[in-house]
């Protein structure tokens, strides 16, 4: 991997490699863009197979955060930290305090928070060494998993907008939705959908999560590898990124893809592939912006009711993406990119 070439491809401002032998920390901080404000984005902990995978993930996620903030009208840029390690076995206070020292040295260019594989406790450890962290004890992010719920709420609103676009009515009752990934966001999304009368088909690599959703919402299980081919109205990816690709898109039997996962498209061209297949795609960084919006609201000193009202703006934003796609005869992924890039160009 040629690091500077990778950074140029993703238009990334700064890439910070962090290693600390005393704690065992091996991490990467990607600061994608700070035109609109300091780079805001969570810290992910994952057992990456290679360092190259960790770098690419950090770069892709950081760019997504920039675009997410831009289309959501937030005064922040995009960034992301990734820690190489198993979140179930490799966590220590020393590692997160060490990360906090690296974050502090950036003097506010990057603000971190929770993400896949990290928790409020981890951010409390980061906070011992750095003031540039959110989702700590006492924040909205620590309040009853509120950030994850608001992410799911935004996805739910985006699904309603998508259903209205395709079916002419936003009524969800009787629709079948396949949800891939039943972590915090996936679980809360299933709750919203169940309350709206949706028939749920679900999958997750964690059997306990599947059982929990089956018992709570009367869902039907699907094998992890079979969920893409389930006959449904909407496919909602809420797990890892890169799942919409040359192998999975031909399997889809739905009219809409709308879910909470980041970086759902393996490559930009897969947005056009969905469009050509007649599938309406709700761009991930638009529909799943509820968590980032909540964090931004928290940093601004506002409360939970205001955060929920702010998340509700996702609905008209998604409709604006659909309208621009139709007006310019381009796929929705390209339309969302154009909207974000127009905001950045004016900064």
């Amino acid at each position: 991997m040629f690091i500077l070439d990778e950074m140029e491809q993703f238009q990334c401002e700064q890439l910070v490699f962090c290693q600390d032998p005393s704690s065992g920390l091996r991490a990467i901080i990607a600061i994608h863009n700070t035109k609109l404000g300091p780079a805001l984005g969570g810290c992910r902990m994952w057992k990456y197979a290679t360092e190259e995978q960790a770098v690419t993930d950090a770069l892709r996620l950081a760019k997504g955060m920039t675009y997410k903030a831009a289309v959501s009208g937030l005064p922040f840029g995009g960034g992301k930290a990734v820690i190489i390690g198993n979140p179930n076995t490799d966590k220590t206070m020393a590692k997160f305090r060490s990360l906090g020292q690296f974050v502090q040295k950036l003097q506010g260019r990057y603000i971190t928070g929770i993400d896949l594989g990290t928790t409020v406790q981890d951010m409390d450890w980061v906070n011992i060494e750095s003031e540039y962290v959110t989702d700590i004890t006492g924040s909205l992010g620590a309040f009853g998993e509120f950030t994850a719920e608001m992410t799911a709420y935004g996805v739910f609103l985006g699904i309603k907008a998508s259903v209205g676009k395709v079916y002419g009515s936003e009524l969800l009752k009787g629709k079948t939705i396949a949800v891939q990934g039943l972590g915090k966001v996936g679980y809360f999304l299933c709750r919203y959908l169940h309350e709206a009368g949706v028939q749920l088909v679900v999958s997750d690599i964690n059997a306990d999560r599947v059982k929990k959703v089956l018992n709570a919402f009367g869902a039907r299980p699907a094998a992890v590898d079979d969920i893409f081919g389930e006959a449904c109205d909407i496919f909602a990816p809420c797990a890892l990124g890169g799942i919409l690709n040359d192998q999975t898109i031909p399997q889809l039997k739905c009219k809409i893809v709308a879910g909470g996962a980041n970086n759902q498209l393996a490559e930009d061209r897969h947005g056009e592939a969905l469009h050509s297949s007649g599938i309406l795609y709700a761009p991930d960084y638009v529909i799943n912006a509820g968590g980032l919006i909540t964090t931004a609201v928290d940093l601004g000193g506002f409360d939970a009711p205001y955060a929920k009202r702010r998340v509700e703006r996702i609905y008209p934003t998604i409709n604006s993406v659909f309208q621009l796609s139709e007006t310019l005869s381009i796929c929705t992924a390209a339309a969302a990119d154009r909207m974000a890039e127009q905001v950045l160009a004016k900064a």
Side-chain angles (χ1 to χ4, degrees):
M1 172 181 282
F2 295 93
I3 299 297
L4 289 173
D5 288 345
E6 284 288 299
M7 291 178 66
E8 183 177 3
Q9 176 185 339
F10 286 96
Q11 300 176 315
C12 179
E13 290 181 11
Q14 186 176 7
L15 201 60
V16 181
F17 290 85
C18 314
Q19 71 88 22
D20 174 23
S22 64
S23 67
L25 177 72
R26 295 165 65 85
I28 299 159
I29 300 173
I31 298 175
H32 177 261
N33 189 296
T34 55
K35 283 185 175 181
L36 296 174
L40 179 60
C43 172
R44 174 169 294 195
M45 188 171 187
W46 192 253
K47 191 177 180 181
Y48 294 98
T50 65
E51 293 179 9
E52 287 80 3
Q53 286 184 7
V55 169
T56 299
D57 201 30
L59 290 170
R60 284 172 59 87
L61 290 165
K63 181 178 180 180
M65 297 303 286
T66 293
Y67 280 46
K68 189 181 297 189
V71 298
S72 300
L74 302 176
F76 292 98
K80 190 70 80 170
V82 300
I83 298 176
I84 300 173
N86 187 325
N88 297 317
T89 59
D90 297 339
K91 283 186 181 181
T92 64
M93 178 192 293
K95 283 183 181 178
F96 284 94
R97 288 189 65 171
S98 180
L99 178 70
Q101 292 172 10
F102 284 105
V103 171
Q104 186 65 21
K105 289 174 183 177
L106 292 169
Q107 289 295 299
R109 278 179 54 76
Y110 169 64
I111 303 170
T112 195
I114 61 173
D115 198 89
L116 182 69
T118 57
T119 65
V120 172
Q121 173 65 82
D122 302 330
M123 294 307 108
D124 284 345
W125 289 336
V126 171
N127 190 221
I128 295 172
E129 304 291 344
S130 177
E131 62 192 286
Y132 304 110
V133 56
T134 185
D135 300 327
I136 60 176
T137 298
S139 68
L140 287 181
F143 176 62
E145 301 178 337
F146 183 70
T147 300
E149 182 172 359
M150 285 301 95
T151 302
Y153 181 53
V155 174
F156 173 71
L157 295 176
I159 287 175
K160 290 186 67 176
S162 302
V163 168
K165 178 68 176 176
V166 170
Y167 294 99
S169 167
E170 295 180 358
L171 184 66
L172 296 181
K173 187 175 183 180
K175 295 286 190 294
T176 299
I177 299 183
V179 180
Q180 179 208 35
L182 303 173
K184 293 177 183 178
V185 173
Y187 178 85
F188 283 124
L189 177 61
C190 287
R191 190 189 72 187
Y192 280 114
L193 295 173
H194 174 70
E195 291 171 353
V198 165
Q199 302 297 313
L200 291 167
V201 183
V202 300
S203 74
D204 194 285
I205 59 175
N206 186 316
D208 290 337
R209 290 177 180 175
V210 174
K211 185 177 180 180
K212 181 179 178 181
V213 171
L214 298 189
N215 291 336
F217 309 125
R220 176 170 62 83
V224 171
D225 294 334
D226 296 340
I227 191 71
F228 300 100
E230 285 287 337
C232 58
D233 298 292
I234 303 105
F235 174 62
C238 297
L240 294 176
I243 53 88
L244 298 172
N245 52 52
D246 293 336
Q247 288 71 47
T248 59
I249 291 175
Q251 299 179 48
L252 295 176
K253 298 176 182 177
C254 61
K255 293 186 177 181
I256 297 166
V257 172
N262 285 313
N263 297 331
Q264 295 170 25
L265 304 176
E267 299 177 36
D268 289 345
R269 63 185 177 87
H270 292 120
E272 181 58 44
L274 289 169
H275 185 71
S276 299
S277 300
I279 298 173
L280 180 68
Y281 172 58
D284 48 24
Y285 61 79
V286 182
I287 196 172
N288 70 12
L292 181 66
I293 292 169
T294 300
T295 300
V297 166
D298 191 30
L299 288 170
F302 298 98
D303 60 10
Y306 177 78
K308 186 173 184 179
R309 293 196 300 272
R310 188 64 181 77
V311 169
E312 288 170 352
R313 297 187 191 179
I314 288 174
Y315 176 89
T317 302
I318 282 284
N319 278 324
S320 295
V321 171
F322 294 158
Q323 182 60 52
L324 184 62
S325 167
E326 194 172 85
T327 300
L328 299 181
S329 298
I330 58 178
C331 70
T332 54
D337 285 352
R338 186 164 299 196
M339 288 174 59
E341 288 159 5
Q342 286 174 347
V343 173
L344 292 169
K346 294 176 182 179

